[in-house]
Amino acid sequence: MAQSIEKEQSIQQLIEKSRNKKGKKIIEKIMPILLLLAALISVVTTLGIVFTLIFETFEFFKRVSIVEFLFGTVWYPFSSGSPSFGVLPLIIGTFKVTLIAIGVAVPIGLSVAIYLSEYASDRTRKIVKPILEVLAGVPTIVYGFFALTFVTPILQTLIPSLKLFNALSPGIVVGIMILPSIISLSEDAMNSVPNAIREGALALGATKLEVSLKVVLPAALSGIVASIVLGISRAIGETMIVSLAGGATPTFDFNITGSIQTMTAYIVQVSSGDAGYGTTIYYSMYAVGFTLFIFTLLMNLVAQYISKRFREEY
């Protein structure tokens, strides 16, 4: 009797094992298909965005000369008489904000990353890291109001000629916004440098600062470059801060105290209902977006080349 019960249990166990094996085989067959579908969705979405930009941009260039668009110094599309579509003022406005943001974010971000990686204790790192994560989670519209109502009045006390809408204030706040990404990625790159390299430099008589700046920083340069490029991409594509604090006056100059308009701010302006569907102004939004896409793509290609070159050297 006991033997028959044991045989039945062993048979049931074999049946369960075979079912589990069949289930695992089915999962093994289904998962690659699901992962392939996820990859295809990403690719198709990207291609859809690119083709939409290209087709709508071609429609714009059927109405406006590409030479006027690329080399014109006046951007005044809402004129009822003779509208002008020279994109250079929007590009200049975008670059002004981006350069100010990078000037703020890169020195501070690298300094904080070096401190957290090379000098900070575990306790300090546990305190600083969550603060940076909170800073990264602040909505950009909050940053925009912060720039308009807090940073600009402070700057006006230092620079009396500073206008209410200007390039300096949003540039500084955009730099603050991209700080967490630069700090986090740069610190990760520095932490990935083997400790044996640090110990070898210290054994040769190098100081802690020399090890940080002359050994760890060059060894982690590819990751640092990637973090800076990510920060530049976010600064170029930032919308709400420059829309609220930068103004809506495209000007072809390098003055940072007056009102500006960036490419993203113009897209917001048109998207808010200032232009009807099918008009030249409507299609100009896609032309500006395609220009922004080209700048970001070129910048990423340059960053990949720089990262690859420094990986080979170190």
Side-chain angles (χ1 to χ4, degrees):
M1 187 70 179
Q3 291 180 352
S4 63
I5 292 173
E6 289 179 357
K7 287 182 180 180
E8 289 179 0
Q9 289 178 348
S10 61
I11 292 171
Q12 289 176 356
Q13 289 175 356
L14 290 173
I15 293 172
E16 288 180 358
K17 287 181 180 180
S18 63
R19 286 177 180 175
N20 291 334
K21 287 181 180 179
K22 289 180 181 179
K24 288 181 180 179
K25 288 181 180 179
I26 294 172
I27 292 173
E28 290 292 334
K29 291 180 180 179
I30 292 175
M31 284 308 298
I33 298 173
L34 293 177
L35 295 174
L36 177 62
L37 289 175
L40 288 176
I41 290 172
S42 302
V43 172
V44 170
T45 302
T46 303
L47 291 176
I49 293 171
V50 173
F51 284 135
T52 300
L53 285 175
I54 291 173
F55 293 148
E56 302 295 350
T57 301
F58 280 155
E59 183 63 31
F60 172 75
F61 287 134
K62 290 179 182 178
R63 309 182 184 194
V64 177
S65 169
I66 189 172
V67 176
E68 177 190 351
F69 179 77
L70 293 177
F71 301 104
T73 58
V74 178
W75 183 265
Y76 194 46
F78 294 99
S79 174
S80 57
S82 56
S84 300
F85 292 94
V87 77
L88 286 180
L90 297 181
I91 294 175
I92 292 295
T94 302
F95 281 171
K96 283 192 285 188
V97 172
T98 302
L99 290 175
I100 294 170
I102 294 303
V104 171
V106 170
I108 298 175
L110 290 182
S111 300
V112 175
I114 291 172
Y115 171 73
L116 291 176
S117 175
E118 306 300 317
Y119 290 93
S121 62
D122 291 337
R123 181 180 179 184
T124 303
R125 198 176 291 112
K126 289 178 181 178
I127 295 172
V128 175
K129 276 281 191 178
I131 295 174
L132 292 175
E133 291 174 359
V134 170
L135 192 64
V138 176
T140 56
I141 192 168
V142 176
Y143 279 118
F145 283 113
F146 173 72
L148 181 63
T149 62
F150 183 79
V151 178
T152 298
I154 292 176
L155 292 176
Q156 284 177 332
T157 60
L158 303 175
I159 308 173
S161 61
L162 190 71
K163 304 291 180 61
L164 178 63
F165 298 105
N166 57 82
L168 184 59
S169 176
I172 292 172
V173 175
V174 170
I176 295 172
M177 182 197 71
I178 64 177
L179 267 176
S181 59
I182 292 179
I183 293 171
S184 179
L185 293 176
S186 297
E187 190 210 353
D188 291 341
M190 293 178 189
N191 284 331
S192 65
V193 176
N195 285 327
I197 296 178
R198 296 180 176 87
E199 293 169 357
L202 291 171
L204 291 172
T207 63
K208 189 75 171 176
L209 183 62
E210 288 174 338
V211 172
S212 301
L213 298 181
K214 297 181 180 181
V215 177
V216 177
L217 198 65
L221 197 58
S222 60
I224 292 171
V225 170
S227 70
I228 294 173
V229 170
L230 178 62
I232 293 174
S233 300
R234 287 199 64 188
I236 290 177
E238 174 51 38
T239 304
M240 295 309 301
I241 297 174
V242 293
S243 297
L244 288 172
T249 308
T251 54
F252 186 70
D253 58 45
F254 293 95
N255 180 24
I256 62 174
T257 61
S259 178
I260 62 165
Q261 188 172 47
T262 64
M263 289 186 279
T264 53
Y266 173 73
I267 294 172
V268 170
Q269 182 182 6
V270 176
S271 302
S272 61
D274 287 349
Y277 175 80
T279 61
T280 305
I281 298 175
Y282 170 80
Y283 288 115
S284 69
M285 174 178 61
Y286 290 96
V288 172
F290 186 71
T291 305
L292 188 64
F293 171 76
I294 292 296
F295 275 113
T296 306
L297 178 63
L298 291 175
M299 184 176 58
N300 288 334
L301 292 176
V302 170
Q304 287 181 3
Y305 170 76
I306 295 173
S307 299
K308 183 179 178 181
R309 181 177 176 182
F310 280 107
R311 279 199 199 100
E312 292 172 355
E313 290 183 359
Y314 294 96

